Amino acid sequence: ARRPAHRAPTGPLARRRAAAATLVLVAVLPCAALAQQRYWYDGAVRRPLWAQPGLVAEFGDGGLEKSRVVKPAALAKDASGPASPVFRDGPGDAGAPRALPGGVVLRLPPGTDDARRQAIFSRHGLNSVRPLGDGGLAWFAWSPPGSASLDLANRLYESGDFASAAPNWWQPRALK
């Protein structure tokens, strides 16, 4: 006796289930991709970042040649040490590599007096801050290396208290 070939269900209920499953995939997959997307603010412009898989930048050894900062993650000395993911401005190998040695470069709104500046720094828990230049509006705030400095810069800019807040980016020197 010959067995009938298996057929996929074809009724209205089966079509509705297939449509629902497709809708779930269409809705969930982009959200998963967006959850992994990182960004930073270049002034008021939000710029996307892509992490370079398998690479890290180590900043712990002061005597380390700058050309040897970026290395495969498997060769990193200590995963808990001062290291950063390597980011690019585009997917894959698009854009120059960049990493986060720590710190955030801040610019206060014009007309910010000393009392307001101190209140802003205090509200955001910025204890280790030093001026950049002599205009009084540019400041460098300490943060640990890696994604912590990116997260801090984004949080500070998005608070609305700063004219700009950007991570202290490290980029390899381009030979001319």
Side-chain angles (χ1 to χ4, degrees):
R2 196 168 159 178
R3 296 174 67 188
H6 178 71
R7 292 187 193 175
T10 58
L13 180 61
R15 283 192 296 272
R16 275 187 259 150
R17 284 183 181 159
T22 302
L23 182 62
V24 166
L25 284 175
V26 168
V28 170
L29 288 178
C31 292
L34 288 175
Q36 298 301 316
Q37 182 66 59
R38 303 301 305 257
Y39 64 91
W40 70 288
Y41 289 96
D42 184 3
V45 178
R46 183 174 162 155
R47 301 210 182 267
L49 289 170
W50 282 262
Q52 180 83 39
L55 287 180
V56 296
E58 287 187 320
F59 297 104
D61 186 357
L64 193 64
E65 291 179 36
K66 294 293 184 191
S67 63
R68 302 177 95 169
V69 170
V70 175
K71 57 182 66 175
L75 298 178
K77 291 179 189 170
D78 180 9
S80 65
S84 167
V86 174
F87 293 99
R88 292 192 181 266
D89 295 331
D93 289 336
R98 58 176 68 219
L100 300 157
V104 176
V105 178
L106 304 168
R107 181 160 293 281
L108 294 165
T112 303
D113 62 20
D114 288 344
R116 174 136 170 77
R117 183 189 77 233
Q118 290 301 330
I120 290 171
F121 290 167
S122 177
R123 178 171 45 252
H124 293 287
L126 302 176
N127 298 321
S128 183
V129 181
R130 64 180 169 86
L132 295 174
D134 57 2
L137 296 178
W139 295 81
F140 182 85
W142 180 89
S143 73
S147 295
S149 63
L150 178 63
D151 296 338
L152 177 62
N154 289 341
R155 181 176 59 80
L156 293 174
Y157 180 75
E158 291 168 352
S159 75
D161 287 335
F162 298 89
S164 68
N168 176 37
W169 288 113
W170 171 89
Q171 290 184 286
R173 254 189 254 181
L175 299 176
K176 295 182 181 187

